[in-house]
Amino acid sequence: MQLGLETLDYLIFFVYFVIVASYGFWVYKNKGSKTTDSKDFFLAEGSLTWWAIGSSIIASNISAEQFIGMSGQAFQLGLAISVYELVGGLSLIIIAIYFLPIYIRNKIYTMPQFLELRYDKRLATIMAVFWLFLYILVNLTSIIYLGALSLEKMTGFDFMACAVFLTVFAIFITLGGMKVIGYTDVIQVVCLVVGGLATTYLALQLLSDRVGTGAGVLEGLSLIKQKADSHMHLMFSPGEYQVHDGRGGFIDAYQQLPGLMMFIIGGQWIVNFNYFGCNQYMTQRALGASLPTARNGVLFAAFLKMLMPFIVVLPGLAAYVLFQENADQAIVNGISDNGIVKPDNAYPVLLNILPVGLKGLAFAALTAAIVASLAGKANSISTIYMLDIHKKFFNPNLDEKQTVWLGRVAIVVSFVIALAISPFLKNFGQGFEYIQEYTGFISPGILSIFLLGFFWKKATTQGALAAAVLSIPLSTLFKFQVPDMPFLNRMGVVFWICTLAHIGISLAVSHGKNNPKALSIDRNWFRTNSSFRIGAVALCSILAVIYLIFW
């Protein structure tokens, strides 16, 4: 398989680069605060519209972990991997109704700030450090790794050269602050949606040409159903079928997505509520806006989530059929690495056989997704470090200009660390699985702390600390002592244990009395306007139809 882009591909990518860079610079010069303002840099306070908020949430969410990792798991598991996107859309609706008003009415700007307001400074500091390690060592690192891997497959350039390019591009965007990130993310989302849908269209057309009669995209969809029926269901049963594990062996598909149990025990809900509701780089876009604007932005993001299976899952399914039917030797050779089937190679290998020009469009779409996500995560790392660690423990007397300058230093340092670690992820078989599983070591405890902190007035700091401390050792214990338990079910079990510990210790400490630091909540906060309700019902209806058809 010949690697590399043609002149037209590079020209298309260069046009994309110039547009994003120029628009970002214009936003920085014309929409930025006339004075150095840390809230403007970290939150773009009050200046992001609903469509900018929604676009920015999706731009930070959809990255190499979806394009490469989720498409790879579509090759491995099939349509079922769409559950992360479909349930994510529903979760965003719930978060918009119940989480956002609590944050915005209490003027919360960072997740550790909420923990300090509701519990105490100790817990806020512990979790701030946890989040920094998680965001840098898991999120930032994995996006650089998967992004560089895909660019390496597409261009033929060395892995580290691709990783450095992505890092420098992302730093350029991130240093402009949240306002630049938010508005450039609108362009990034347009690029990733248009380029992603074009890639899906061409993948289905290629499938029709190589396996079918060349009748077109609809035939390509039909061929997936005919040739890979096991890949066209949203629910698995234990032992239903074995899939490639990315390390040269096979694994039960139920281990990755344990059917109804991931909803009953709660693993899938924990993933989405923690990711979108208790996660700095997801909620940060909305925290500086008014509640109606923030809700509309999150609703817009929920609808964009419904598009993602078409963009990232269908290409993986098409690659699977082409691989199984031995219909394209370039795909077979590219996905097999020294005889080991590597699902994560499916998307970048598929991109390599696109026509000249369209490959450049796909390259721009993929780069847009990667850079936007890196920028959002790095800004959140800087926000937590400066507002919740540096200004509290090292120098509380920093002025606004110094705060922004050190925030930019924190961005560069976090990128350098992630860049240095990223090559070591080659030892993991599936990038998307790596992200979900190791994020899941801490997310059960975090979600328990937040949910009880929101809605239970007797929750105490001691109970919250117990939940935080128990999450990682319990997850580790179950991983190695009960290796056959699917990791999503493990997250659910750990969540309930942490929650019971939180409740039990809180009751023992408080003697059944309300915590003085409990939040005062007005039921009227949870009321929504008619347009939001109509949109939410429409989205839930779409979700119900999808599950009825593909159960």
Side-chain angles (χ1 to χ4, degrees), residues 342-355:
K342 292 281 192 180
D344 277 350
N345 288 350
Y347 195 86
V349 166
L350 191 63
L351 294 184
N352 254 316
I353 56 178
L354 293 179

Side-chain angles (χ1 to χ4, degrees), residues 18-31:
V18 169
I19 290 173
V20 172
S22 301
Y23 183 59
F25 184 74
W26 181 85
V27 170
Y28 178 72
K29 284 295 185 182
N30 293 277
K31 287 183 174 289

